[in-house]
Structures are given as structure tokens and as C-alpha cells.
Amino acid sequence: MHPKARIHADPVLEVDQFDCLPDSLVLLILNKVEDVRSLGRCSAVSKRFCGLVSLVHDVYVKIDRVVAVDSDAEDTLNLSSPKPRNIFSHFLKLMLFTIIKPFHNMRNPNGTGRPLFPQLSQHSPAQVLRNFTHIRHLRIELPSGDVGTEEGVLLKWRAEYGSTLQNCVILGGTRVDHKPGGGEHEPSLEDNGSMPESFYTNGGLKLRVVWTISSLIAASTRHYLLRSIIKDHPTLRSLVLTDSDGQGTLCMGAEQLKEFRENQLSASACSNRTQVPACNMKLKYAPYLELPGGMALQGATLVAIKPSTEGSNGGHTSRKEADGFVYGAFDGPFKAAVKALMKRRTYLLEMNGF
């Protein structure tokens, strides 16, 4: 019987082929990862990865749950005003136990053995993000929408900010229906293209005003809390803050970020949010809209908001740009709803700053 042959690894061939990849290619892969927690785990793989993770351009931060934090808002967010009493003011603290875990045990690559992110458990996500020095595109997702609504009610908003509000569009509906196959809806006799008299008498207009003010407060609060992140990351080219419910989205492009850094932020005197400027609003309404995918929207309402031209940094945008923002604000069936509502009669409203 012949003895079994044994295969021995050749020490010369024991080379990690991944180490042969250039840093530029590894960085390209890490940019596809985006998620800040996954990047934290990648940092723990090796000193090389630890050094490259801080150079990624695209970062995505997801906040999974609300966590009570004992420290006050000033310690965490460097706020100069008293601690707010609502969830908006604390959203940057909510990530403490959901995104920092993979970072907590990371060691400094210089061999000192000290944690790369010291005292991380007491710091906010704004401070965690400071370890990323080349962020260009940042997305942050909150665990839920800011504006509470009754079941079945649709409320979505999208706001564009520089140092102050530049554009905002709100899409709402009192009820979202899923039509059965082949189901048809008889248009209301009141739907003659104008707003029905009942809209004023049954609280319909008041409800839309509440939606509008609540959405603007949510947007301005999110904007105010982003100031430290924008200040710490001059390389930022785009910033999007949304929520898992898809209710509201705040977006800032390269021009808006530049304008934010060059102009003083106008804070509200009564709370930790940016002041909402005096605005002109265009309201459009349809009692019933049929949407793609077997959906229907009752009490469909579209509100397009722009700051008044006088004394506003956002008043220089053209009507074509403003309409383009409205048409591109939402996707899917809600994009179709906007398109249909834009054909309806326009009602002009004005609102003072607050």
C-alpha cells in the first residue's frame, strides 16, 4: 500500500491576494458599502482598512430606534438655547447605541492601543462623523416621520434648503384607497375643477394649514440640527435627511451647502430650529384622484411653498426651477398625483415668517 501523499502549502505562495489590490480600488468598494456601521466593522479588519475608511466619500447613517440620553442637548449638539422638549431636537442623539457599537472597540493604528474613537458612548453622531474626513455625499435616515397623522392619511413633504428655506412641496390626502380590480369611481358632482364650498365649512382648509405648518416646522428643525455636520465637513456636496416612513425629505446640494456656509443661520427665537421665512404658497386640490397601481387618493392636496422674494435668499430661483422641484419631489404613484394636481386650479396663499 502506497503511503498517502501530503500536500504542504508553499510559503512563497501564501500571499493575501486582497493585499495586492490598490488602495483606490479598495476605496471604491468601501464607497459602495456606505452604511456607517458596516464601515465601522470594516475598520476593525486591519490597519489598512482603518486608514481607508476615513477617506470614503459616500456615507449612509440609519437611525433604528430612539434611545434616552441623560446628557443635555448642549453637551451633545452644542446648542446654545435651552433643551427642546420634542423628538426633533434629539434625532442626532438617537443613533448612539445603533451606529457606534462597531466603532467602540476600534484601536488607533499608530500602535498606542488607545481607542480610535475615545469616549464614543458619550458623543453624538455629529462627532462620530468627524472621523470621516472626505465625505461628499451623506444620507441620514430617521426611524419615523416627524408629523403625526391619523391612520390612512397621506402626508409627504420635500424641502430644499440653503441657509434658509428655498423650496418646499407638500402632498397630502385624507385617505389612500386601494381599488379592487375593475373598480370604478364616480367623480363627485362637486368636482368641477374648483374647491367645493364644503372644503371651507368642514375643516378641510384648516387641516391643510396644520399639515403645512407642521411640515415646515419639521423641515426647519432638521435643518437647524445639521449645522455642526455641515461645518465639520467642507467636502460635502450633497446632504439628504429623510425617514424610514418616507414622510419627509430635506435635501441640500452643492450650491445650497455653499450658501449655507457663507450666510448666517437665522434661528427661531422660541425653539431649536431655523426660522421659517415669510412665504407664498400655491394650493391645489382634487376631491378624488386615481393613481397608478390600483391606488386612489381622496382629498388630494398639493402645496408648493417658496419664500417671498423680498428679503429672502431663496427668492431668486426661477418659476421653471421651482416647478421642476415640485414635479421631481416624489416617485411612483405620488409623482403621478403631483402631475395631476398641477393641472388643477391654483389658490394663492401668504404666510408670515415664524
Side-chain angles (χ1 to χ4, degrees):
M1 180 179 292
H2 297 284
K4 294 182 179 180
R6 294 183 180 180
I7 301 176
H8 298 277
D10 189 344
V12 179
L13 299 179
E14 286 184 358
V15 177
D16 189 345
Q17 298 301 317
F18 200 88
D19 288 338
C20 299
L21 297 178
D23 286 352
S24 58
L25 183 56
V26 177
L27 190 57
L28 181 64
I29 296 172
L30 293 174
N31 275 318
K32 298 295 183 181
V33 174
E34 291 189 341
D35 177 60
V36 72
R37 285 171 290 184
S38 299
L39 289 171
R41 297 185 182 101
C42 290
S43 296
V45 171
S46 65
K47 291 182 179 180
R48 183 191 183 196
F49 271 32
C50 187
L52 290 174
V53 162
S54 65
L55 303 179
V56 297
H57 296 156
D58 304 328
V59 177
Y60 165 62
V61 177
K62 182 177 181 180
I63 304 170
D64 292 328
R65 59 193 176 97
V66 177
V67 178
V69 179
D70 294 332
S71 59
D72 59 24
E74 186 173 357
D75 291 337
T76 306
L77 300 175
N78 296 321
L79 301 179
S80 58
S81 51
K83 180 180 178 180
R85 293 186 295 270
N86 52 57
I87 190 173
F88 304 135
S89 62
H90 298 291
F91 88 88
L92 287 178
K93 297 194 289 184
L94 309 185
M95 301 155 55
L96 287 174
F97 295 102
T98 58
I99 72 167
I100 64 176
K101 210 168 189 180
F103 292 96
H104 190 63
N105 294 321
M106 289 169 52
R107 300 293 166 179
N108 200 308
N110 62 12
T112 61
R114 296 179 180 179
L116 184 61
F117 303 97
Q119 298 177 330
L120 191 58
S121 59
Q122 288 82 28
H123 288 186
S124 72
Q127 292 167 309
V128 173
L129 289 172
R130 287 174 188 167
N131 296 281
F132 296 89
T133 58
H134 290 69
I135 299 178
R136 294 181 184 175
H137 309 286
L138 176 61
R139 293 188 300 124
I140 302 176
E141 181 180 305
L142 300 176
S144 62
D146 306 314
V147 183
T149 57
E150 295 182 1
E151 185 177 356
V153 172
L154 171 73
L155 180 62
K156 299 177 75 69
W157 59 266
R158 186 177 183 91
E160 185 178 50
Y161 267 84
S163 62
T164 186
L165 178 69
Q166 293 187 356
N167 283 293
C168 183
V169 58
I170 301 169
L171 176 65
T174 54
R175 181 176 174 181
V176 178
D177 292 328
H178 296 275
K179 301 180 296 181
E184 296 292 337
H185 174 79
E186 292 294 332
S188 169
L189 296 177
E190 289 186 295
D191 189 11
N192 57 3
S194 301
M195 202 172 287
E197 186 66 27
S198 59
F199 188 82
Y200 303 97
T201 59
N202 65 2
L205 180 59
K206 180 181 178 181
L207 177 62
R208 272 68 180 184
V209 171
V210 171
W211 286 350
T212 301
I213 294 176
S214 299
S215 298
L216 288 172
I217 290 176
S220 62
T221 306
R222 292 186 185 187
H223 177 252
Y224 183 80
L225 294 175
L226 290 173
R227 69 199 188 286
S228 60
I229 292 178
I230 296 173
K231 178 182 177 182
D232 293 338
H233 298 279
T235 57
L236 267 178
R237 297 180 183 176
S238 68
L239 175 57
V240 176
L241 176 55
T242 185
D243 55 77
S244 59
D245 294 337
Q247 183 186 86
T249 300
L250 182 148
C251 56
M252 300 177 73
E255 290 299 321
Q256 287 79 25
L257 289 165
K258 179 181 177 182
E259 196 262 335
F260 181 96
R261 296 183 181 103
E262 293 176 349
N263 293 277
Q264 185 175 0
L265 191 68
S266 218
S268 171
C270 59
S271 59
N272 292 324
R273 62 174 176 82
T274 306
Q275 183 172 357
V276 177
C279 295
N280 297 324
M281 300 185 291
K282 296 180 179 180
L283 188 147
K284 298 172 182 287
Y285 173 81
Y288 188 91
L289 281 181
E290 292 188 355
L291 305 178
M295 293 179 61
L297 185 60
Q298 296 186 19
T301 307
L302 180 71
V303 183
I305 305 169
K306 277 187 64 62
S308 303
T309 303
E310 184 177 355
S312 171
N313 292 327
H316 62 275
T317 55
S318 67
R319 178 177 178 180
K320 183 177 180 181
E321 291 174 330
D323 287 348
F325 177 79
V326 173
Y327 279 110
F330 309 111
D331 298 321
F334 305 116
K335 187 180 184 73
V338 170
K339 186 177 181 180
L341 284 166
M342 287 293 283
K343 300 176 182 178
R344 309 287 293 197
R345 179 174 296 182
T346 300
Y347 296 85
L348 301 178
L349 304 171
E350 294 182 355
M351 181 181 65
N352 294 327
F354 61 93

